[in-house]
Amino acid sequence: MYNPKSDNADEFICHEEVLDTLAFADKNKNNKELINSVLAKAEKGKGLTHREASVLLACDDENLNEKIFALAQKIKQDYYGNRIVLFAPLYLSNYCVNGCVYCPYHAKNKTIPRKKLTQEEIKNEVIALQDMGHKRIAIEAGEDPINNPIEYILDSIETIYGVKHKNGSIRRVNVNIAATTTENYKKLHDAGIGTYILFQETYNKESYEQLHPSGPKHNYRYHTEAMDRAMKAGIDDVGLGVLYGLESYRYEFAALLMHAEHLEAVFGVGPHTISLPRIKKADDINPDDFDNGIDDDIFAKIAACIRIAVPYTGMIISTRETAECRERILKLGVSQISGGSKTSVGGYFKPMPEDENSSQFDVSDRRTLDEVIKWLMECGYLPSFCTACYGSGRTGDRFMEICKNKQIHNFCHPNAIMTLKEYLEDYASEDTKAIGYRLIENELKTLNNTKIKEEVGKNLVKIANGERDFKF
Ligand code: SAM
């Protein structure tokens, strides 16, 4: 029985409700009147239900689809402006006891070199990340209670926050580790993590159990109810995602939004971010072995419909995607991207020899962070290294409140300008600097609050003079 407020995953992601939603979407996919009324509702920026959004996703009328894409772009502009926040993943360990059939870390894979970073090695990775200019990272690890216990993750977080190299610092550590207990989520919360990210992989219980045949991750309910435990433990910001390619994308889309509705219904705040990963080639994984792969057009449609359905939830696209694909999806609503990423354990400090390749998947966008920053600016975006919301306690419902009132511009825009200035001074190539300085001048003109403008102007001078003691 479908119940968004239930604490049972079988009820808040009710299979029958997903099937009914898909049937409703099929029946109405060319219902112009309904779709126009859904779009009119969405234009108010208050979001859509999973049923309404599923109709938009199913729609194959060219004119209506154009409207859908245009609205996604408008919402993106209204809520996020031209800012794009940067981050990088940091792989700590690829030891894993699970049997996930799409992931090369699965326990039966005997070909992938297993690696776990020591705290000294983590320091080196962090220094390398800081030298690129990163301020925000997402730590990643396989699930292995012996090799990667929670104490190891907590020590690693402490090490990461503790590294102060030249002008660098990691100001926000997001965490992408396997579902765990409420007690462990409390420990992560106390360690000062940013967002807790956990991809559902698939919401279809039957497929989920087949795709995760062994290990603790096999337990569908434990995995699907993880965000409830995390939020009960005090973690305000959680990040959802499905791995596209495993199951039918329309099923995943409806269920993902039901998950967001569930969190909103129970905790008064939806997910902080939604990631959009697609399955990629990896050590012993061939994406063609999975039947539900989606092309770039469908991928773009999903991004647009998510943007419209949950306007105040950040959207993330990683280097799994090519530069070309990222450029297309960015304008439809993405607010965060990774840059200069390595998906191997220990890949930043020292390039990996081929036979030590411990990567989780092949990255398609292999550009350096500097190249990504330059490209973003050439495409008209304002790269941001800001982590101020987190630093000032603007998380969870407090963040959402500001975001829903479109007030986030007053915080994010000035901070994006100032953190870009820091990046340009400390890490950018000459070409990137030249474009960046021009961009900052133009962005300053768009600040229409005189007090904020003055403040930013003063801080830019301080940054140019080497001051770095800011809470961005
Ligand atoms: N081990 C943690 C867990 O069980 O949730 C999460 C960390 S894992 C390093 C991060 C994510 O990478 C997974 O949740 C999965 O969606 C994604 N992933 C795994 N194999 C992949 C592949 N072949 N291509 C693309 N993404 C993949």
Side-chain angles (χ1 to χ4, degrees):
M1 176 77 164
Y2 177 47
N3 177 3
K5 286 201 167 160
S6 170
D7 56 8
N8 180 338
D10 290 331
E11 293 178 1
F12 65 77
I13 308 289
C14 169
H15 178 63
E16 286 69 34
E17 173 59 20
V18 179
L19 295 185
D20 283 355
T21 299
L22 298 187
F24 176 78
D26 267 336
K27 193 166 148 231
N28 288 292
K29 65 181 184 182
N30 290 318
N31 180 341
K32 284 197 177 127
E33 202 184 325
L34 176 73
I35 292 175
N36 277 319
S37 75
V38 169
L39 287 174
K41 177 182 170 191
E43 249 172 70
K44 296 189 186 121
K46 303 276 184 240
L48 295 177
T49 65
H50 60 276
R51 282 205 174 210
E52 292 164 337
S54 293
V55 175
L56 297 190
L57 185 65
C59 167
D60 52 18
D61 178 294
E62 218 174 292
N63 291 334
L64 289 171
N65 273 339
E66 263 175 38
K67 277 191 177 179
I68 292 170
F69 282 113
L71 181 58
Q73 290 190 43
K74 182 177 180 302
I75 291 176
K76 147 103 175 152
Q77 194 52 38
D78 285 355
Y79 284 81
Y80 302 89
N82 58 347
R83 294 178 303 282
I84 300 287
V85 169
L86 276 305
F87 78 99
L90 172 56
Y91 282 77
L92 299 178
S93 165
N94 63 1
Y95 284 92
C96 194
V97 296
N98 286 315
C100 317
V101 303
Y102 49 83
C103 177
Y105 290 179
H106 66 90
K108 286 196 184 132
N109 185 354
K110 301 291 174 222
T111 57
I112 196 165
R114 298 287 168 176
K115 289 194 74 177
K116 171 188 170 181
L117 298 180
T118 63
Q119 296 306 314
E120 206 45 43
E121 287 170 329
I122 292 174
K123 266 188 207 157
N124 287 335
E125 290 292 286
V126 172
I127 288 173
L129 282 159
Q130 289 184 6
D131 277 343
M132 289 159 71
H134 277 296
K135 306 283 184 216
R136 175 190 294 245
I137 60 174
I139 55 172
E140 314 271 342
E143 178 165 18
D144 185 326
I146 308 275
N147 285 300
N148 316 330
I150 192 71
E151 291 71 27
Y152 170 67
I153 304 294
L154 296 170
D155 286 350
S156 306
I157 295 169
E158 199 181 332
T159 299
I160 295 164
Y161 278 134
V163 177
K164 301 280 178 270
H165 167 70
K166 297 185 182 163
N167 282 338
S169 60
I170 299 300
R171 297 167 177 165
R172 179 171 176 133
V173 178
N174 297 334
V175 173
N176 183 4
I177 60 163
T180 186
T181 59
T182 310
E183 202 178 291
N184 285 347
Y185 285 126
K186 280 201 183 105
K187 291 179 186 167
L188 288 171
H189 173 253
D190 293 347
I193 69 161
T195 311
Y196 172 66
I197 301 160
L198 181 69
F199 297 159
Q200 178 62 32
E201 323 298 6
T202 175
Y203 283 97
N204 183 312
K205 188 174 187 176
E206 207 183 317
S207 306
Y208 181 95
E209 287 172 352
Q210 283 166 11
L211 291 160
H212 305 95
S214 56
K217 197 164 170 177
H218 177 73
N219 187 334
Y220 174 83
R221 274 194 58 192
Y222 189 72
H223 188 83
T224 314
E225 292 161 13
M227 294 314 192
D228 296 67
R229 292 193 297 283
M231 292 186 94
K232 274 187 200 137
I235 296 177
D236 280 338
D237 292 343
V238 298
L240 306 182
V242 293
L243 187 57
Y244 289 102
L246 300 179
E247 241 298 338
S248 133
Y249 70 93
R250 291 181 52 210
Y251 190 103
E252 304 297 14
F253 177 83
L256 176 78
L257 292 181
M258 284 162 73
H259 198 175
E261 286 164 15
H262 161 69
L263 297 177
E264 177 99 40
V266 176
F267 300 99
V269 50
H272 188 65
T273 54
I274 290 179
S275 299
L276 296 177
R278 280 196 284 191
I279 191 160
K280 296 285 301 180
K281 185 179 167 315
D283 186 68
D284 68 342
I285 306 295
N286 179 359
D288 297 337
D289 292 343
F290 298 85
D291 297 336
N292 291 296
I294 52 171
D295 64 22
D296 286 359
D297 290 343
I298 292 174
F299 197 49
K301 183 84 185 283
I302 292 171
C305 291
I306 291 179
R307 180 67 302 131
I308 294 173
V310 280
Y312 35 83
T313 296
M315 214 155 50
I316 302 180
I317 190 147
S318 76
T319 54
R320 287 178 182 85
E321 302 301 334
T322 60
E324 199 185 23
C325 173
R326 300 218 291 174
E327 187 164 338
R328 178 170 179 197
I329 308 288
L330 272 176
K331 52 173 175 288
L332 299 173
V334 167
S335 53
Q336 252 189 69
I337 65 169
S338 45
S341 303
K342 295 276 186 294
T343 61
S344 49
V345 181
Y348 292 108
F349 179 61
K350 247 192 348 216
M352 285 286 136
E354 223 9 77
D355 59 343
E356 276 181 43
N357 189 345
S358 59
S359 303
Q360 195 187 21
F361 51 81
D362 288 356
V363 299
S364 298
D365 186 343
R366 292 167 178 272
R367 293 172 296 176
T368 63
L369 181 63
D370 190 70
E371 287 166 340
V372 170
I373 297 293
K374 182 164 170 275
W375 160 75
L376 282 173
M377 296 191 295
E378 283 167 349
C379 295
Y381 296 105
L382 171 62
S384 173
F385 290 90
C386 182
T387 58
C389 281
Y390 165 71
S392 329
R394 284 194 298 275
T395 57
D397 51 356
R398 290 169 300 286
F399 172 82
M400 287 297 173
E401 200 48 45
I402 299 169
C403 195
K404 283 179 186 172
N405 296 329
K406 296 192 193 167
Q407 284 302 310
I408 211 78
H409 277 307
N410 289 338
F411 295 96
C412 299
H413 201 64
N415 286 340
I417 296 173
M418 293 184 283
T419 55
L420 175 63
K421 175 78 171 172
E422 283 186 322
Y423 172 82
L424 296 176
E425 295 299 324
D426 292 340
Y427 307 106
S429 64
E430 291 309 314
D431 279 0
T432 305
K433 266 189 191 161
I435 301 175
Y437 289 151
R438 276 202 303 277
L439 176 67
I440 287 179
E441 264 181 40
N442 288 334
E443 291 297 329
L444 273 176
K445 289 182 198 145
T446 68
L447 295 176
N448 39 27
N449 178 320
T450 328
K451 226 175 122 212
I452 293 178
K453 201 173 186 161
E454 268 176 32
E455 186 81 3
V456 174
K458 277 189 210 152
N459 282 339
L460 290 177
V461 175
K462 286 184 188 168
I463 293 168
N465 289 332
E467 261 191 61
R468 291 291 178 278
D469 199 15
F470 301 98
K471 293 253 175 301
F472 301 140

